[in-house]
């Protein structure tokens, strides 16, 4: 990214930050204190009945959060591991995937698939909107030979803040009688936005620990439908650590190696917190918090200021907002000011969006004052860096939160 001459970045004397860091990344996210405390558990044998009780409760709880009654395979890996595990368990060399283009994460999942010898065809899209459903229907109707083995969708594209209506893909497949598996990446939507695996007819769901589930990074999973299990029996890509068949021989029906036990003490608590609040209320809170962020950015956007990256209001994500800087102004300069001056951590632009957008994560263990703190730091940093904008973003968010409480 070349530095624009328009950029006037403010330099600060680095001081030791005081107070709590406001963490507004779209993953990892804030971890509730009770979850942190719950994870501090001495080692136990992972076949000890007392641990198995905790483990089974987590699997049941996670299935409720996913909206599935089918299979769940867990891995000691971040989300990338679950992407890989899902494909190697379901595909054979040369199989073709139909990937809906959404942004950086659909590109990364495609790159991973190609490295495994899969073909990837893409439904192209404007990153600011995502795939048009008519385009998807056209692609599926054209595939009379049923070359597509699976359709892959990133439910919530974390790099752009665009949510794709994954609930509409099953109908598109059924309309043309296409037998492809439907795979969804729900890493940054699960437990923050409505998601119902079985009801929406999804065959493989990829999820991770460090976003809506409010856990540390390092645990991920795939939920698999019966149709996916049938495909698994025929799939010939090499696999060992991620092999579902091998996992099914274990008591935990997951983990070929050691079970990362502390995750499950933590997860039992995070699921308890989610269900105590109620999933519907969790989704409503995320929507309320996200809407305040959107109103703030909308206010800043006056005077040729920053804009919400997602141009389709119906597809704006409730877990992350990507904010497009005015031409010639560096998003990373804002992030640096926000961090060095106010100790607020934001997400940066990924891939080709580097320097052009910054991202406010508003998912997980979060409330209005935490969001207002992040918004206040951004608004002050826009001013300090002389980025064109209209003031009043924080006011717009406060007005919304006061009404929508
Ligand atoms: C975070 C994320 C990933 C990658 O997960 P890692 O845990 O970083 O490996 C994949 N897809 C989406 C949509 C994500 O938000």
């Amino acid at each position: 990214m070349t530095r624009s001459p328009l950029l006037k970045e403010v330099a600060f004397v680095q001081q030791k930050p005081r107070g709590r860091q406001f963490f507004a990344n779209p993953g990892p996210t804030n971890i509730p204190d009770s979850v942190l405390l719950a994870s501090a558990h001495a080692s136990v044998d992972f076949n000890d009945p007392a641990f198995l009780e905790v483990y089974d409760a987590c699997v049941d709880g996670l299935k409720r959060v996913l909206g599935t009654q089918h299979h769940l395979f867990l891995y000691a890996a971040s989300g990338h591991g679950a992407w890989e595990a899902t494909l190697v368990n379901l595909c054979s060399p040369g199989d073709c995937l139909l990937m809906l283009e959404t942004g950086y994460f659909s590109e990364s999942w495609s790159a991973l698939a190609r490295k495994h010898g899969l073909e990837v065809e893409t439904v192209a899209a404007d990153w600011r909107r995502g795939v048009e459903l008519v385009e998807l229907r056209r692609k599926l109707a054209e595939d009379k030979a049923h070359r597509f083995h699976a359709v892959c969708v990133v439910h919530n594209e974390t790099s752009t803040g665009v949510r794709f209506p994954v609930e509409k893909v099953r109908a598109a497949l059924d309309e043309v009688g296409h037998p492809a598996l439907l795979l969804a990446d729900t890493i940054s939507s699960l437990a923050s936005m409505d998601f119902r695996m079985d009801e929406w007819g999804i065959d493989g769901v990829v999820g991770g620990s460090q976003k809506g589930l409010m856990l540390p990074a390092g645990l991920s999973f795939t939920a698999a439908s019966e149709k996916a299990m049938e495909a698994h029996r025929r799939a010939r890509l090499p696999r060992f650590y991620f092999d579902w068949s091998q996992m099914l021989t274990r008591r935990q029906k997951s983990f070929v190696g050691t079970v990362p036990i502390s995750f499950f003490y933590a997860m039992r608590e995070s699921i308890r917190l989610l269900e105590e609040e109620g999933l519907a209320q969790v989704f409503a809170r995320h929507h309320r918090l996200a809407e305040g962020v959107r109103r703030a950015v909308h206010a800043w956007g006056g005077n040729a200021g920053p804009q919400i990256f997602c141009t389709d209001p119906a597809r704006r994500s409730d877990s992350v907002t990507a904010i497009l800087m005015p031409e010639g102004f560096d998003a990373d300069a804002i992030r640096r000011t926000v961090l060095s001056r106010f100790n607020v951590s934001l997400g940066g632009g990924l891939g080709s969006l580097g320097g052009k957008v910054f991202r406010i994560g508003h998912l997980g263990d979060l409330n209005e004052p935490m969001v207002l703190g992040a918004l206040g730091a951004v608004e002050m940093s826009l001013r300090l860096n002389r980025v064109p904008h209209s003031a009043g973003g924080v006011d717009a968010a406060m007005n919304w939160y006061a009404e929508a409480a």
Side-chain angles (χ1 to χ4, degrees), residues 372-391:
L372 288 170
L375 293 174
V378 171
E379 189 163 328
M380 289 185 282
S381 300
L382 291 172
R383 197 190 298 184
L384 285 164
N385 284 289
R386 309 207 197 301
V387 175
H389 70 287
S390 288

Side-chain angles (χ1 to χ4, degrees), residues 78-80 83 105 154 156 158 185 187-188 210-211:
S78 81
H80 279 72
W83 269 349
F105 286 101
V154 176
N156 185 70
T158 322
D185 169 339
I187 297 181
S188 65
Q210 79 273 31
K211 295 182 185 174

Side-chain angles (χ1 to χ4, degrees), residues 3-121:
R3 299 275 293 264
S4 156
L6 277 175
L7 170 71
K8 294 203 182 62
E9 192 183 334
V10 183
F12 295 106
V13 183
Q14 200 74 43
Q15 289 177 336
K16 262 229 168 309
R18 293 287 178 242
R20 191 173 267 244
Q21 180 174 77
F22 272 46
F23 195 74
N25 275 36
T29 64
N30 294 286
I31 303 173
D33 290 346
S34 67
V35 172
L36 283 174
L37 288 170
S39 73
H41 198 285
S43 290
V44 292
D45 186 319
F46 53 80
N47 288 316
D48 186 303
F51 172 71
L52 289 172
E53 205 181 302
V54 174
Y55 180 87
D56 291 344
C58 287
V59 169
D60 290 348
L62 204 45
K63 285 186 183 179
R64 288 193 296 276
V65 173
L66 284 155
T68 187
Q69 305 204 322
H70 298 289
H71 304 266
L72 184 64
F73 300 101
L74 296 129
Y75 326 107
S78 81
H80 279 72
W83 269 349
E84 181 158 326
T86 304
L87 296 183
V88 298
N89 275 288
L90 294 175
C91 303
S92 300
D95 279 350
C96 183
L97 306 178
L98 183 65
M99 180 74 66
L100 274 61
E101 184 176 3
T102 47
Y104 177 80
F105 286 101
S106 68
E107 287 193 337
S108 305
W109 200 6
S110 299
L112 185 155
R114 290 193 178 102
K115 279 280 181 195
H116 280 285
L118 301 174
E119 268 183 60
V120 182
E121 201 163 311

Side-chain angles (χ1 to χ4, degrees), residues 185-261:
D185 169 339
T186 181
I187 297 181
S188 65
S189 52
L190 192 69
S192 357
M193 283 181 264
D194 194 13
F195 185 82
R196 310 173 196 189
M197 173 174 168
D198 293 353
E199 198 182 317
W200 295 350
I202 303 175
D203 297 304
V205 176
V206 176
S209 56
Q210 79 273 31
K211 295 182 185 174
L213 292 173
M214 309 178 289
L215 295 166
L219 191 85
S220 58
F221 47 87
T222 309
S225 71
E226 299 307 331
K227 183 175 166 184
M229 293 310 291
E230 270 171 46
H232 167 65
R233 280 171 218 121
R234 292 189 303 272
R236 296 188 324 275
L237 274 181
R239 52 189 180 251
F240 187 90
Y241 177 66
F242 286 133
D243 187 5
W244 295 348
S245 295
Q246 218 184 149
M247 292 182 187
L248 285 171
T249 67
R250 306 294 201 269
R251 162 61 179 79
Q252 289 80 3
K253 308 246 181 288
S254 280
F255 301 109
V256 167
T258 305
V259 178
I261 59 128

